Amino acid sequence: MALAEELHPTHENRDVTLNEHYTFFVTNLSETFSPQAIVVSYQQRDTMENFIKETKNGFDLDQMKSHDFLVNEARIMLTTYLSGSVH
C-alpha cells in the first residue's frame, strides 16, 4: 500500500502564503510506480470520470435503454457525434 501526497501552493494578493492541500491515494501501485506517477495517473482518471459524468448528464445518457452493450455504445457514439455536428 502506498501513500502519495500532493501540495498546492497558492498566492493571494501581494502576500505569498502556502495553503497546504493534501490528497491521499491508497493504492497497491507502490511497487511499480513512483508517488509522482501515481498522482498523475489518478489525476488523469479523475479527468476522464468527470468527462464521462458531464457527457452522461449533458446528453441524457444517465440511463441506458438496452441491456446490450453494443446498442448502448452505438447510442452514446451517435448522440455525441450528432451533437458535435450541430454545434
Side-chain angles (χ1 to χ4, degrees):
M1 180 168 54
L3 183 64
E5 66 180 54
E6 190 178 9
L7 220 89
H8 298 282
T10 60
H11 301 281
E12 297 176 0
N13 299 330
R14 293 183 185 170
D15 298 327
V16 176
T17 60
L18 180 63
N19 293 328
E20 294 179 1
H21 171 80
Y22 292 94
T23 305
F24 297 94
F25 303 97
V26 178
T27 181
N28 60 356
L29 299 175
S30 63
E31 296 174 6
T32 310
F33 298 100
S34 69
Q36 294 82 7
I38 292 170
V39 168
V40 169
S41 174
Y42 276 91
Q43 286 174 336
Q44 291 171 344
R45 176 181 175 171
D46 185 53
T47 300
M48 184 52 66
E49 287 181 3
N50 285 336
F51 172 73
I52 291 168
K53 182 172 51 174
E54 290 172 6
T55 301
K56 285 173 54 178
N57 292 337
F59 297 114
D60 193 30
L61 296 172
D62 55 333
Q63 293 182 349
M64 296 291 114
K65 307 298 183 203
S66 174
H67 294 287
D68 185 338
F69 177 80
L70 293 176
V71 171
N72 292 328
E73 181 183 30
R75 178 175 179 238
I76 291 170
M77 292 176 71
L78 283 171
T79 301
T80 55
Y81 173 76
L82 293 174
S83 172
S85 65
V86 170
H87 297 281

